[in-house]
Amino acid sequence: MGLSGGVDSSVAAATLHHQGHEVIGLTLWLMKGKGQCCSEGMVDAARLCQELGVPHHIVDSRDTFQAHIVDYLVAGYQAGVTPLPCSQCNRTVKFGPMLAYARAELGATAIATGHYARVRFNPDTQRYELLRAVDRNKDQSYFLYDLTQEMLGSLHFPLGEQTKAETRQMAEKFGLHTAAKPESQDLCLIEQHGSMGNFLEKYLAPQPGDIIDTEGRILGRHTGIHNYTIGQRKGLGIAAAQPLYVVALDVGRNQVIVGDRASVHYPECTVHRVNWVSAAPPAEPMTVHIQIRYRSGAVPATLFPLAAADAALTRVKVVFEEPQFGVTPGQAAVWYDGDRVLGGGIIEPLPVQARVAAALAQASSPQ
């Protein structure tokens, strides 16, 4: 049982324990300092296992976290994209290593976490399928699209069929010390450093440059392109007759390019590093509902394969039914068929010139 020390993983562990499963707690030590997965979390996880009377193991994963998450984030921001660390972390730092450790060191047959999602086996396709959680407000399937069939086949989500309110009630019923523990709202790195900007300051030196509009006019100065993301409006530090948004980040010229809101709507994008989690790669274009950020709703779109329809299909073109605001390179695009997660990948950056040209075209078109 993967334990972060929070109420969700605590209730998931207690649920399995009360169902009669032989539970072994496992906490990954990802980094020093405060944060839901670190020192405080390890103490709470150890206390929970003591309360339940089950073993608790801590695995030092700091080097893995540094290589796959910290270095990944820094390189992405340096390249002018906004990386999404959670999906990367789930596959390469958490679920993959957890499953390997559970099998090799503990003789465990399955792993479980406190994520809000569901897994089922489809006998018709002979595939395990990842599904949204019953509680749509807590659903975390967006972050789990990159899991493999092997992982899904050995994975349990005890909270997938219940709401967060029910989880709190169960924590009180079980008498868990985490019952009233506040919920984590941010990335663990943000919790530790206070903000993503503070975290990046440790790795990236300030490189001020120009803020320009889509016509090339200089409007002000920026503090380093790693401090900006597509669609950002606040914190630009420039005065204008209308609100301005970040349209593109030009790493080569060290420029932040801004435009009006209409110019940050995009009719399409390309997605790479695609993982087909619940379905086989399609041979033909397919209609789906796609989610381009965690807190946005899924919108209608058509996927066009950009490679042969086999396991090597790792890029697709997405054409939205209606242009979408702030399609951000580095973030995940995840596509659904109802509650079923078909697959997902990472939004590719457009060449700056193409992005600016698209912005100008979109700004001049009727909305």
Side-chain angles (χ1 to χ4, degrees):
M1 178 71 220
L3 294 174
S4 67
V7 64
D8 292 332
S9 61
S10 297
V11 170
T15 298
L16 293 173
H17 180 64
H18 282 78
Q19 288 173 350
H21 294 282
E22 181 183 352
V23 176
I24 303 172
L26 178 62
T27 302
L28 303 179
W29 183 8
L30 303 180
M31 58 185 177
K32 295 180 179 180
K34 294 182 178 180
Q36 70 180 80
C37 299
C38 301
S39 55
E40 292 180 358
M42 286 191 286
V43 171
D44 283 331
R47 181 178 172 186
L48 171 76
C49 289
Q50 187 175 38
E51 291 173 352
L52 297 178
V54 304
H56 182 230
H57 293 252
I58 295 175
V59 177
D60 189 346
S61 302
R62 288 174 296 169
D63 289 343
T64 302
F65 188 79
Q66 178 71 36
H68 289 280
I69 303 305
V70 174
D71 294 349
Y72 170 74
L73 275 173
V74 172
Y77 278 100
Q78 197 168 27
V81 303
T82 306
L84 180 71
C86 295
S87 58
Q88 171 95 351
C89 189
N90 281 331
R91 176 165 178 165
T92 63
V93 178
K94 292 182 180 178
F95 289 94
M98 273 179 57
L99 182 57
Y101 184 89
R103 288 173 172 172
E105 303 296 332
L106 306 177
T109 57
I111 59 174
T113 70
H115 285 84
Y116 287 83
R118 295 176 291 161
V119 176
R120 72 181 177 196
F121 182 72
N122 186 331
D124 295 330
T125 63
Q126 291 294 298
R127 294 178 70 97
Y128 291 95
E129 297 179 337
L130 175 65
L131 307 175
R132 287 192 186 275
V134 168
D135 188 339
R136 286 299 185 94
N137 290 325
K138 288 296 297 177
D139 173 52
Q140 294 170 297
S141 62
Y142 172 81
F143 295 119
L144 300 170
Y145 78 87
D146 210 22
L147 300 185
T148 65
Q149 281 288 299
E150 180 185 15
M151 294 173 191
L152 289 181
S154 302
L155 183 57
H156 294 272
F157 294 127
L159 308 186
E161 300 284 349
Q162 66 194 50
T163 66
K164 179 71 177 193
E166 290 171 331
T167 296
R168 290 284 186 190
Q169 292 170 1
M170 291 177 68
E172 294 177 0
K173 175 184 175 182
F174 289 139
L176 304 180
H177 76 279
T178 55
K181 186 174 181 178
E183 185 172 6
S184 172
Q185 298 294 332
D186 291 313
L187 297 173
C188 53
L189 286 169
I190 292 179
E191 285 193 341
Q192 183 189 39
H193 296 278
S195 69
M196 183 59 71
N198 290 342
F199 161 72
L200 292 173
E201 281 180 1
K202 294 181 58 179
Y203 298 92
L204 300 176
Q207 290 187 319
D210 290 330
I211 299 177
I212 66 172
D213 65 15
T214 50
E215 302 289 347
R217 295 177 291 239
I218 297 176
L219 304 181
R221 298 282 287 175
H222 67 75
T223 57
I225 61 170
H226 59 272
N227 293 317
Y228 301 83
T229 188
I230 303 301
Q232 178 179 336
R233 179 175 69 87
K234 296 181 179 179
L236 298 182
I238 51 178
Q242 59 182 337
L244 294 175
Y245 301 80
V246 175
V247 170
L249 301 171
D250 191 333
V251 177
R253 293 184 173 87
N254 192 28
Q255 293 176 331
V256 173
I257 303 167
V258 298
D260 62 18
R261 185 175 177 84
S263 67
V264 199
H265 285 75
Y266 294 93
E268 61 185 48
C269 66
T270 303
V271 180
H272 68 151
R273 290 176 51 190
V274 168
N275 181 54
W276 296 92
V277 60
S278 301
E284 302 292 336
M286 64 187 302
T287 301
V288 297
H289 279 77
I290 193 164
Q291 195 169 321
I292 59 170
R293 60 182 64 85
Y294 175 48
R295 286 303 182 187
S296 70
V299 298
T302 302
L303 298 186
F304 294 87
L306 295 179
D310 56 23
L313 178 51
T314 58
R315 293 180 75 241
V316 298
K317 179 180 179 181
V318 176
V319 178
F320 302 107
E321 188 173 289
E322 296 182 0
Q324 295 300 302
F325 174 82
V327 180
T328 307
Q331 294 289 290
V334 180
W335 38 93
Y336 294 80
D337 174 18
D339 283 348
R340 186 169 59 126
V341 183
L342 300 177
I346 302 299
I347 299 170
E348 286 186 351
L350 271 176
V352 173
Q353 294 81 2
R355 194 165 187 103
V356 171
L360 286 170
Q362 196 62 34
S364 62
S365 64
Q367 296 297 309

